[in-house]
Amino acid sequence: MTTMRSEALYIVEEPDLSGIVTEDDEPVDNMFSEKQRRLLTESLLSSWNPGRSFIAASDVGIFYAINQPPVVPDMFLSMDVKLPEDLWEKKHRSYFLWEYRKAPEMVVEIVSNTEGGENSRKIQKYAQIGVWYYVIFDPQRYIQNDVLRIYESFAGQFIPRIDRTLQRLGLGLMLWEGTFEGRHDRWLRWCDSDKNMILTGFERAVLTEKRAEKAEVRAEKAEVRAEKAQVRAEKAEEMAAAERRRAEKLAQRLKELGIEPEE
C-alpha cells in the first residue's frame, strides 16, 4: 500500500552548503555492525523489486535543517526517489530533505553500546522529521530487553508494533540464524509480504546454480529413462520379429506336410 506525503514541508530555497560537513572520514564501528548494515542494504538492492524506485543506504547523514547536525542511521530506506547522476556534487553527497523533498520511510539502528541514544534522542528526532518506521536491533541487549523492536509513526509519535511487518512498505523483518560472509550468527533480515526472506545477490546466485544443477540432474535422469525405454522397445520389437519368424517357419512346415493351418 502506498501512502503519499506532502512535499510542502521540505520545499525551501537553495541553501548555502559551504559550511556543512557531509562526511567526517572517521567511521568507527565493530565488524558485526558493518556486516549487518551491508546485509540489509545489499539484499534490497540485489533482490527486492517493489515496482518503485528507492534508495537503500548505510552510514549516510540525513540533514533535516540548515545549521543543524545530521542524524546518521546505520541504514535507511527511502521510497520513490533516485540517486542523482553526480554524487560528487556537495548537495548530493548526503541525504538532504530539501533535495529529496521527503524523509526516508524507514531507518534502522544497530546498537553497539549504551551511548548511542537509539531509544532517546534518536527516536525523538526520527519522529520529528517524519520517518514512518524506526527499527532498533540490539543483538546484545545493551539498551532493551528485546533483540528487535519496531516502531511505527502515528500522529507524529512512534508506537511499538506487536508484529514485524512494515505494511506501508510491503516489507517485513525477521531474525535469521545463519551464515553471512563466513560468519554464523543471528542476523536481521528482510522478508516480503508473504514472509519469504529477501536474498542477497550471492544467495540468489547460489540458489540459481543449485536449481540449474537439479534441472540438469532431472534432464540426465529423463535421458536415462528414455534410453531404457528405447532399449525395451527395441527388445520388444526383436521378440515380435522372432515370433513372426517362428510363425512363418511353422506355416511353411505345415504346408510341406500338406496340413492346412486352422483358422
mmCIF file of all heavy atoms in Angstrom, residues 90-115:
data_model
loop_
_atom_site.group_PDB
_atom_site.id
_atom_site.type_symbol
_atom_site.label_atom_id
_atom_site.label_comp_id
_atom_site.label_asym_id
_atom_site.label_seq_id
_atom_site.Cartn_x
_atom_site.Cartn_y
_atom_site.Cartn_z
ATOM 1 N N LYS A 90 28.186 18.539 -3.898
ATOM 2 C CA LYS A 90 28.002 18.569 -2.451
ATOM 3 C C LYS A 90 26.560 18.354 -2.033
ATOM 4 O O LYS A 90 26.270 17.651 -1.053
ATOM 5 C CB LYS A 90 28.517 19.888 -1.880
ATOM 6 C CG LYS A 90 28.566 19.865 -0.339
ATOM 7 C CD LYS A 90 29.506 20.883 0.215
ATOM 8 C CE LYS A 90 29.689 20.672 1.716
ATOM 9 N NZ LYS A 90 30.668 21.593 2.295
ATOM 10 N N LYS A 91 25.607 18.884 -2.772
ATOM 11 C CA LYS A 91 24.209 18.749 -2.393
ATOM 12 C C LYS A 91 23.685 17.327 -2.615
ATOM 13 O O LYS A 91 22.555 17.030 -2.243
ATOM 14 C CB LYS A 91 23.349 19.759 -3.135
ATOM 15 C CG LYS A 91 23.253 19.538 -4.636
ATOM 16 C CD LYS A 91 22.336 20.569 -5.267
ATOM 17 C CE LYS A 91 22.191 20.351 -6.762
ATOM 18 N NZ LYS A 91 21.253 21.351 -7.365
ATOM 19 N N HIS A 92 24.532 16.495 -3.231
ATOM 20 C CA HIS A 92 24.138 15.104 -3.470
ATOM 21 C C HIS A 92 24.946 14.118 -2.632
ATOM 22 O O HIS A 92 24.745 12.918 -2.742
ATOM 23 C CB HIS A 92 24.307 14.750 -4.943
ATOM 24 C CG HIS A 92 23.447 15.557 -5.845
ATOM 25 N ND1 HIS A 92 23.748 15.766 -7.191
ATOM 26 C CD2 HIS A 92 22.272 16.216 -5.621
ATOM 27 C CE1 HIS A 92 22.810 16.525 -7.738
ATOM 28 N NE2 HIS A 92 21.914 16.812 -6.802
ATOM 29 N N ARG A 93 25.854 14.616 -1.795
ATOM 30 C CA ARG A 93 26.745 13.714 -1.062
ATOM 31 C C ARG A 93 26.065 13.111 0.159
ATOM 32 O O ARG A 93 26.512 12.068 0.666
ATOM 33 C CB ARG A 93 28.016 14.467 -0.652
ATOM 34 C CG ARG A 93 28.880 14.854 -1.837
ATOM 35 C CD ARG A 93 30.001 15.783 -1.413
ATOM 36 N NE ARG A 93 31.069 15.056 -0.738
ATOM 37 C CZ ARG A 93 32.215 14.726 -1.312
ATOM 38 N NH1 ARG A 93 32.421 15.025 -2.595
ATOM 39 N NH2 ARG A 93 33.145 14.091 -0.648
ATOM 40 N N SER A 94 25.023 13.748 0.650
ATOM 41 C CA SER A 94 24.262 13.231 1.782
ATOM 42 C C SER A 94 22.783 13.274 1.439
ATOM 43 O O SER A 94 22.398 13.665 0.330
ATOM 44 C CB SER A 94 24.545 14.057 3.045
ATOM 45 O OG SER A 94 25.886 13.888 3.470
ATOM 46 N N TYR A 95 21.960 12.885 2.393
ATOM 47 C CA TYR A 95 20.512 12.904 2.158
ATOM 48 C C TYR A 95 19.951 14.192 2.772
ATOM 49 O O TYR A 95 19.696 14.278 3.970
ATOM 50 C CB TYR A 95 19.859 11.680 2.795
ATOM 51 C CG TYR A 95 18.419 11.467 2.360
ATOM 52 C CD1 TYR A 95 18.117 10.573 1.338
ATOM 53 C CD2 TYR A 95 17.364 12.158 2.963
ATOM 54 C CE1 TYR A 95 16.804 10.371 0.925
ATOM 55 C CE2 TYR A 95 16.056 11.973 2.549
ATOM 56 C CZ TYR A 95 15.784 11.078 1.547
ATOM 57 O OH TYR A 95 14.477 10.877 1.143
ATOM 58 N N PHE A 96 19.796 15.198 1.917
ATOM 59 C CA PHE A 96 19.229 16.472 2.342
ATOM 60 C C PHE A 96 17.718 16.441 2.096
ATOM 61 O O PHE A 96 17.274 16.242 0.958
ATOM 62 C CB PHE A 96 19.854 17.635 1.562
ATOM 63 C CG PHE A 96 21.326 17.810 1.836
ATOM 64 C CD1 PHE A 96 22.275 17.377 0.920
ATOM 65 C CD2 PHE A 96 21.759 18.413 3.005
ATOM 66 C CE1 PHE A 96 23.621 17.539 1.156
ATOM 67 C CE2 PHE A 96 23.113 18.587 3.255
ATOM 68 C CZ PHE A 96 24.049 18.142 2.327
ATOM 69 N N LEU A 97 16.941 16.656 3.136
ATOM 70 C CA LEU A 97 15.489 16.576 2.991
ATOM 71 C C LEU A 97 14.962 17.567 1.974
ATOM 72 O O LEU A 97 13.994 17.278 1.262
ATOM 73 C CB LEU A 97 14.805 16.804 4.350
ATOM 74 C CG LEU A 97 14.392 15.523 5.093
ATOM 75 C CD1 LEU A 97 15.607 14.670 5.425
ATOM 76 C CD2 LEU A 97 13.631 15.852 6.376
ATOM 77 N N TRP A 98 15.594 18.739 1.862
ATOM 78 C CA TRP A 98 15.104 19.743 0.919
ATOM 79 C C TRP A 98 15.467 19.380 -0.524
ATOM 80 O O TRP A 98 14.875 19.915 -1.453
ATOM 81 C CB TRP A 98 15.640 21.126 1.273
ATOM 82 C CG TRP A 98 17.123 21.188 1.446
ATOM 83 C CD1 TRP A 98 18.076 21.367 0.487
ATOM 84 C CD2 TRP A 98 17.829 21.066 2.684
ATOM 85 N NE1 TRP A 98 19.324 21.363 1.030
ATOM 86 C CE2 TRP A 98 19.216 21.189 2.376
ATOM 87 C CE3 TRP A 98 17.448 20.877 4.009
ATOM 88 C CZ2 TRP A 98 20.207 21.113 3.358
ATOM 89 C CZ3 TRP A 98 18.429 20.807 4.977
ATOM 90 C CH2 TRP A 98 19.786 20.923 4.656
ATOM 91 N N GLU A 99 16.392 18.459 -0.732
ATOM 92 C CA GLU A 99 16.711 17.988 -2.079
ATOM 93 C C GLU A 99 15.758 16.873 -2.502
ATOM 94 O O GLU A 99 15.228 16.879 -3.619
ATOM 95 C CB GLU A 99 18.157 17.485 -2.146
ATOM 96 C CG GLU A 99 19.210 18.578 -2.110
ATOM 97 C CD GLU A 99 19.207 19.427 -3.367
ATOM 98 O OE1 GLU A 99 18.837 18.909 -4.440
ATOM 99 O OE2 GLU A 99 19.560 20.621 -3.270
ATOM 100 N N TYR A 100 15.537 15.923 -1.608
ATOM 101 C CA TYR A 100 14.666 14.790 -1.938
ATOM 102 C C TYR A 100 13.195 15.075 -1.618
ATOM 103 O O TYR A 100 12.319 14.322 -2.016
ATOM 104 C CB TYR A 100 15.129 13.544 -1.179
ATOM 105 C CG TYR A 100 16.437 13.020 -1.694
ATOM 106 C CD1 TYR A 100 17.645 13.354 -1.072
ATOM 107 C CD2 TYR A 100 16.487 12.204 -2.815
ATOM 108 C CE1 TYR A 100 18.858 12.875 -1.546
ATOM 109 C CE2 TYR A 100 17.690 11.716 -3.300
ATOM 110 C CZ TYR A 100 18.873 12.062 -2.657
ATOM 111 O OH TYR A 100 20.065 11.593 -3.141
ATOM 112 N N ARG A 101 12.942 16.170 -0.880
ATOM 113 C CA ARG A 101 11.584 16.641 -0.580
ATOM 114 C C ARG A 101 10.762 15.625 0.212
ATOM 115 O O ARG A 101 9.533 15.618 0.156
ATOM 116 C CB ARG A 101 10.847 17.045 -1.859
ATOM 117 C CG ARG A 101 11.559 18.172 -2.610
ATOM 118 C CD ARG A 101 10.878 18.496 -3.923
ATOM 119 N NE ARG A 101 11.632 19.542 -4.621
ATOM 120 C CZ ARG A 101 11.320 20.827 -4.642
ATOM 121 N NH1 ARG A 101 10.249 21.244 -3.992
ATOM 122 N NH2 ARG A 101 12.051 21.695 -5.310
ATOM 123 N N LYS A 102 11.439 14.800 0.953
ATOM 124 C CA LYS A 102 10.757 13.827 1.800
ATOM 125 C C LYS A 102 11.776 13.185 2.731
ATOM 126 O O LYS A 102 12.969 13.128 2.436
ATOM 127 C CB LYS A 102 10.084 12.728 0.972
ATOM 128 C CG LYS A 102 11.052 11.910 0.131
ATOM 129 C CD LYS A 102 10.346 10.882 -0.730
ATOM 130 C CE LYS A 102 9.792 9.742 0.093
ATOM 131 N NZ LYS A 102 10.876 8.923 0.692
ATOM 132 N N ALA A 103 11.281 12.706 3.849
ATOM 133 C CA ALA A 103 12.127 11.944 4.759
ATOM 134 C C ALA A 103 12.154 10.485 4.333
ATOM 135 O O ALA A 103 11.240 10.015 3.642
ATOM 136 C CB ALA A 103 11.601 12.054 6.184
ATOM 137 N N PRO A 104 13.171 9.743 4.703
ATOM 138 C CA PRO A 104 13.125 8.292 4.462
ATOM 139 C C PRO A 104 11.929 7.678 5.190
ATOM 140 O O PRO A 104 11.512 8.164 6.246
ATOM 141 C CB PRO A 104 14.454 7.793 5.059
ATOM 142 C CG PRO A 104 15.342 8.992 5.078
ATOM 143 C CD PRO A 104 14.448 10.167 5.325
ATOM 144 N N GLU A 105 11.388 6.634 4.606
ATOM 145 C CA GLU A 105 10.264 5.949 5.252
ATOM 146 C C GLU A 105 10.700 5.112 6.446
ATOM 147 O O GLU A 105 9.920 4.909 7.376
ATOM 148 C CB GLU A 105 9.545 5.034 4.246
ATOM 149 C CG GLU A 105 8.552 5.731 3.340
ATOM 150 C CD GLU A 105 9.210 6.529 2.240
ATOM 151 O OE1 GLU A 105 10.441 6.437 2.062
ATOM 152 O OE2 GLU A 105 8.484 7.269 1.541
ATOM 153 N N MET A 106 11.928 4.631 6.423
ATOM 154 C CA MET A 106 12.356 3.727 7.477
ATOM 155 C C MET A 106 13.834 3.895 7.784
ATOM 156 O O MET A 106 14.642 4.144 6.882
ATOM 157 C CB MET A 106 12.100 2.277 7.042
ATOM 158 C CG MET A 106 12.220 1.260 8.139
ATOM 159 S SD MET A 106 13.037 -0.226 7.568
ATOM 160 C CE MET A 106 14.610 0.409 7.103
ATOM 161 N N VAL A 107 14.173 3.786 9.061
ATOM 162 C CA VAL A 107 15.575 3.777 9.470
ATOM 163 C C VAL A 107 15.804 2.607 10.411
ATOM 164 O O VAL A 107 14.897 2.170 11.131
ATOM 165 C CB VAL A 107 16.001 5.097 10.151
ATOM 166 C CG1 VAL A 107 15.877 6.271 9.207
ATOM 167 C CG2 VAL A 107 15.201 5.346 11.418
ATOM 168 N N VAL A 108 17.031 2.100 10.389
ATOM 169 C CA VAL A 108 17.447 1.010 11.284
ATOM 170 C C VAL A 108 18.659 1.472 12.067
ATOM 171 O O VAL A 108 19.608 2.024 11.488
ATOM 172 C CB VAL A 108 17.800 -0.263 10.487
ATOM 173 C CG1 VAL A 108 18.287 -1.367 11.432
ATOM 174 C CG2 VAL A 108 16.612 -0.749 9.675
ATOM 175 N N GLU A 109 18.624 1.240 13.358
ATOM 176 C CA GLU A 109 19.781 1.480 14.209
ATOM 177 C C GLU A 109 20.225 0.150 14.811
ATOM 178 O O GLU A 109 19.411 -0.617 15.335
ATOM 179 C CB GLU A 109 19.454 2.470 15.334
ATOM 180 C CG GLU A 109 19.209 3.896 14.879
ATOM 181 C CD GLU A 109 20.486 4.621 14.449
ATOM 182 O OE1 GLU A 109 21.580 4.015 14.545
ATOM 183 O OE2 GLU A 109 20.386 5.784 14.015
ATOM 184 N N ILE A 110 21.530 -0.134 14.704
ATOM 185 C CA ILE A 110 22.124 -1.339 15.279
ATOM 186 C C ILE A 110 22.885 -0.928 16.522
ATOM 187 O O ILE A 110 23.834 -0.143 16.450
ATOM 188 C CB ILE A 110 23.060 -2.021 14.267
ATOM 189 C CG1 ILE A 110 22.313 -2.315 12.968
ATOM 190 C CG2 ILE A 110 23.655 -3.299 14.855
ATOM 191 C CD1 ILE A 110 23.220 -2.642 11.803
ATOM 192 N N VAL A 111 22.469 -1.411 17.657
ATOM 193 C CA VAL A 111 23.034 -0.969 18.934
ATOM 194 C C VAL A 111 24.363 -1.672 19.191
ATOM 195 O O VAL A 111 24.453 -2.905 19.142
ATOM 196 C CB VAL A 111 22.053 -1.250 20.083
ATOM 197 C CG1 VAL A 111 22.653 -0.770 21.409
ATOM 198 C CG2 VAL A 111 20.716 -0.561 19.822
ATOM 199 N N SER A 112 25.407 -0.869 19.464
ATOM 200 C CA SER A 112 26.738 -1.411 19.741
ATOM 201 C C SER A 112 27.180 -1.154 21.179
ATOM 202 O O SER A 112 28.130 -1.774 21.653
ATOM 203 C CB SER A 112 27.772 -0.791 18.791
ATOM 204 O OG SER A 112 27.433 -1.040 17.440
ATOM 205 N N ASN A 113 26.515 -0.202 21.841
ATOM 206 C CA ASN A 113 26.870 0.127 23.222
ATOM 207 C C ASN A 113 25.685 0.848 23.855
ATOM 208 O O ASN A 113 24.593 0.891 23.272
ATOM 209 C CB ASN A 113 28.137 0.992 23.266
ATOM 210 C CG ASN A 113 28.032 2.194 22.339
ATOM 211 O OD1 ASN A 113 27.072 2.964 22.395
ATOM 212 N ND2 ASN A 113 29.013 2.344 21.451
ATOM 213 N N THR A 114 25.884 1.434 25.014
ATOM 214 C CA THR A 114 24.787 2.109 25.721
ATOM 215 C C THR A 114 24.776 3.609 25.495
ATOM 216 O O THR A 114 23.992 4.334 26.115
ATOM 217 C CB THR A 114 24.898 1.847 27.235
ATOM 218 O OG1 THR A 114 26.170 2.352 27.711
ATOM 219 C CG2 THR A 114 24.809 0.366 27.541
ATOM 220 N N GLU A 115 25.634 4.108 24.594
ATOM 221 C CA GLU A 115 25.818 5.551 24.471
ATOM 222 C C GLU A 115 25.287 6.136 23.166
ATOM 223 O O GLU A 115 25.479 7.318 22.896
ATOM 224 C CB GLU A 115 27.314 5.882 24.594
ATOM 225 C CG GLU A 115 27.922 5.405 25.908
ATOM 226 C CD GLU A 115 29.434 5.585 25.948
ATOM 227 O OE1 GLU A 115 29.979 6.078 24.930
ATOM 228 O OE2 GLU A 115 30.045 5.224 26.957
#
